[in-house]
Amino acid sequence: MKVDPPEHPSGSLHYEDAAYSDSGALDRELRRVGEACHQCRRCLPLCPAFPKLFDLVDASPAEAAGVESAGFEQVNELCFHCRLCYNHCPYTPPHAWDVDFPALMRREQLARARRDGIPLARRLTTRTDWIGRLGSLAPALVNFANRNRLSRIAMEKTIGIHRDWVQPRYTARTLRRWFRRRGPRGDGSAGRVVLFATCSVEYSDPEAGRAAVEVLERSHVRVDVHYQRCCGMPFTDIGDLEATRRAAARNVAALAPLADAGARIVVPGPSCSLLIKTEYPKLVPGEAAQRVAAATRDLMEHLYELAREKKLDRGFTRPLGRVAYHAPCHLRAQNVGLRARDLLQLAGAEVEVVEACSGVDGTWGMQARFHEESLGVARKMLRALDAAGAEHLSTDCPLAALRIQEGLGRRAVHPVVLLRRAYGGAEEGGAAS
């Protein structure tokens, strides 16, 4: 196989580099990477983007070189940025071919957003912080609207969210409101943590946040809850670089002093922790973003570090039985191992791991126009979870939990909720309005 060396590999470019936004350089890189993927085809089963790419290449006598630019845009439309292909690919850096398909798709997405603009309806669906604030002010009304068939049909026709997609439930008792009344209780002898609550945990799954606080404090960790705004990940779904950069810059300004004071930034959502770790240093030039990224851990990753350091309380008293655990794509992309599995096993659970994509990843799987493709991706995950016959379903990803609820009619909880249960605490049964 012969593939040209990269002229401007997407993974090593910064957003400010002239080549990043150069249309000619982008077109050449799309064709170069398309040729490499065409000759390999290892990622064919992963998502709809690769079958579309290979159909286009096969239809052209010149292979990737003959694919129309509009064809690559179709491929980009079907990429939902799960990043599974990066770990699956044998040609990622430092290979001479330097293939970084996720970075290339993000680059193409940003180019399209600059050229065509971003529809208002798509912008609205990514304002998870605004939607969460509204939901916490009037949870009964918002939850009713999200369950009402007529309002869901109207939602589908106006902002494009499929009528069958399960919307999160909102609560007036957000995580920060609970924590302000309760206050911190850990003595700090096992370190200090700043829990970056995320939009999902703050507004619609505060149970996971409360469980995180309680589990960490059992091991003498001083916990403070931090949430001022979205991490910025939803804006990446629509190619809104400036909104992502603004969110990142403001969060770095708030979190850097805490990291400098020795706190770990612990995140109970893998998409958010992935963005902070990998993208904040690219979005916000300077050492502050690098320090924040270095101090950031996914929640179960940090708990596992405590366990390795012999600082985790191991006084588990309540059997968990069988747990079917879904390992989210954005957690696997961090290459930190299956720490939720390890900790649940430490607590005595029998864990079956399901490493299959939920097909949501941001807002892509919610959209009516991609709903069937999304379900097609999720089918393997849903079948495996259902076949496990487990007493508990668990996932770190809030969007995967909604897909599981949509597909199986069962609630999947964050693994930290099950750890709290193993200590003797009870599951709370979801957010209350």
Side-chain angles (χ1 to χ4, degrees):
M1 294 192 294
K2 181 182 183 300
V3 174
D4 293 333
E7 176 188 9
H8 297 293
S10 298
S12 62
L13 287 175
H14 284 269
Y15 298 115
E16 293 79 12
D17 292 342
Y20 192 91
S21 56
D22 180 83
S23 59
L26 173 58
D27 185 74
R28 290 189 292 274
E29 182 67 359
L30 284 165
R31 297 176 193 284
R32 187 190 73 85
V33 171
E35 183 63 28
C37 293
H38 154 61
Q39 294 189 35
C40 174
R41 304 204 173 206
R42 185 174 179 179
C43 292
L44 178 64
L46 293 184
C47 75
F50 289 100
K52 171 58 71 175
L53 173 63
F54 302 146
D55 285 347
L56 292 168
V57 172
D58 291 342
S60 168
E63 298 183 337
V67 175
E68 297 285 341
S69 296
F72 287 114
E73 292 182 7
Q74 294 173 33
V75 174
N76 184 253
E77 283 269 291
L78 294 171
C79 173
F80 47 89
H81 306 283
C82 66
R83 304 201 191 193
L84 283 186
C85 59
Y86 188 87
N87 284 353
H88 204 63
C89 176
Y91 307 121
T92 51
H95 193 276
W97 289 2
D98 207 319
V99 172
D100 189 335
F101 194 83
L104 177 60
M105 288 295 99
R106 187 70 75 199
R107 185 177 169 189
E108 164 74 356
Q109 182 189 43
L110 291 173
R112 292 174 58 210
R114 284 193 302 269
R115 185 194 68 203
D116 301 335
I118 302 169
L120 177 61
R122 293 286 288 125
R123 288 185 185 275
L124 291 175
T125 60
T126 62
R127 295 311 314 226
T128 51
D129 46 0
W130 293 358
I131 296 168
R133 290 190 191 102
L134 175 63
S136 69
L137 291 173
L141 179 62
V142 174
N143 291 337
F144 172 78
N146 283 341
R147 294 193 303 270
N148 181 270
R149 193 64 176 176
L150 290 177
S151 67
R152 291 305 308 273
I153 292 171
M155 186 185 298
E156 180 178 311
K157 292 183 179 299
T158 53
I159 60 175
I161 301 298
H162 196 277
R163 66 191 69 181
D164 293 333
W165 169 253
V166 175
Q167 291 283 5
R169 289 180 59 84
Y170 294 99
T171 176
R173 195 184 183 212
T174 64
L175 178 63
R176 284 186 302 162
R177 289 171 185 164
W178 169 81
F179 191 77
R180 279 197 296 266
R181 287 193 295 268
R182 175 188 180 274
R185 297 180 182 176
D187 60 27
S189 59
R192 181 187 176 195
V193 153
V194 174
L195 188 70
F196 185 87
T198 77
C199 301
S200 294
V201 168
E202 169 67 8
Y203 294 118
S204 58
D205 189 17
E207 179 187 9
R210 293 192 288 268
V213 171
E214 292 166 8
V215 167
L216 285 162
E217 287 180 345
R218 282 189 68 99
S219 295
H220 305 286
V221 176
R222 161 66 187 242
V223 183
D224 292 291
V225 172
H226 176 90
Y227 177 87
Q228 294 179 355
R229 66 190 56 82
C230 178
C231 69
M233 177 61 90
F235 308 135
T236 67
D237 292 342
I238 57 172
D240 193 343
L241 178 61
E242 290 312 309
T244 311
R245 184 180 277 124
R246 284 194 301 271
R250 291 169 183 168
N251 282 324
V252 165
L255 294 172
L258 301 171
D260 292 343
R264 280 278 188 257
I265 312 300
V266 172
V267 187
S271 296
C272 304
S273 56
L274 177 66
L275 186 79
I276 296 171
K277 287 180 179 182
T278 63
E279 296 299 316
Y280 272 24
K282 301 175 187 176
L283 291 161
V284 186
E287 293 185 1
Q290 296 173 11
R291 295 197 301 273
V292 168
T296 297
R297 300 289 187 274
D298 196 80
L299 172 58
M300 303 309 283
E301 176 189 9
H302 182 68
L303 287 170
Y304 183 80
E305 289 179 357
L306 289 177
R308 289 195 63 179
E309 294 166 2
K310 310 298 184 185
K311 295 178 180 178
L312 183 74
D313 183 344
R314 302 194 181 199
F316 301 109
T317 61
R318 186 174 181 180
L320 290 174
R322 286 177 54 79
V323 176
Y325 168 67
H326 166 252
C329 303
H330 285 172
L331 190 56
R332 285 184 279 160
Q334 296 179 43
N335 293 320
V336 296
L338 299 174
R339 299 315 180 198
R341 175 204 62 190
D342 299 338
L343 289 164
L344 290 171
Q345 288 177 337
L346 182 66
E350 181 183 347
V351 183
E352 181 166 339
V353 177
V354 175
E355 293 188 75
C357 186
S358 67
V360 185
D361 288 291
T363 60
W364 185 85
M366 306 175 193
Q367 295 179 64
R369 58 183 177 148
F370 298 129
H371 193 250
E372 289 307 312
E373 288 91 344
S374 173
L375 286 173
V377 172
R379 196 164 290 121
K380 180 180 178 182
M381 176 198 75
L382 294 171
R383 287 173 176 167
L385 289 172
D386 193 40
E391 298 165 53
H392 304 283
L393 302 182
S394 183
T395 180
D396 314 74
C397 175
L399 295 177
L402 294 175
R403 171 47 52 79
I404 292 165
Q405 187 176 343
E406 178 192 26
L408 299 180
R410 292 185 61 187
R411 181 169 176 258
V413 299
H414 194 288
V416 77
V417 174
L418 296 181
L419 279 186
R420 180 181 61 183
R421 181 184 177 89
Y423 283 126
E427 293 178 42
E428 299 172 19
S433 61

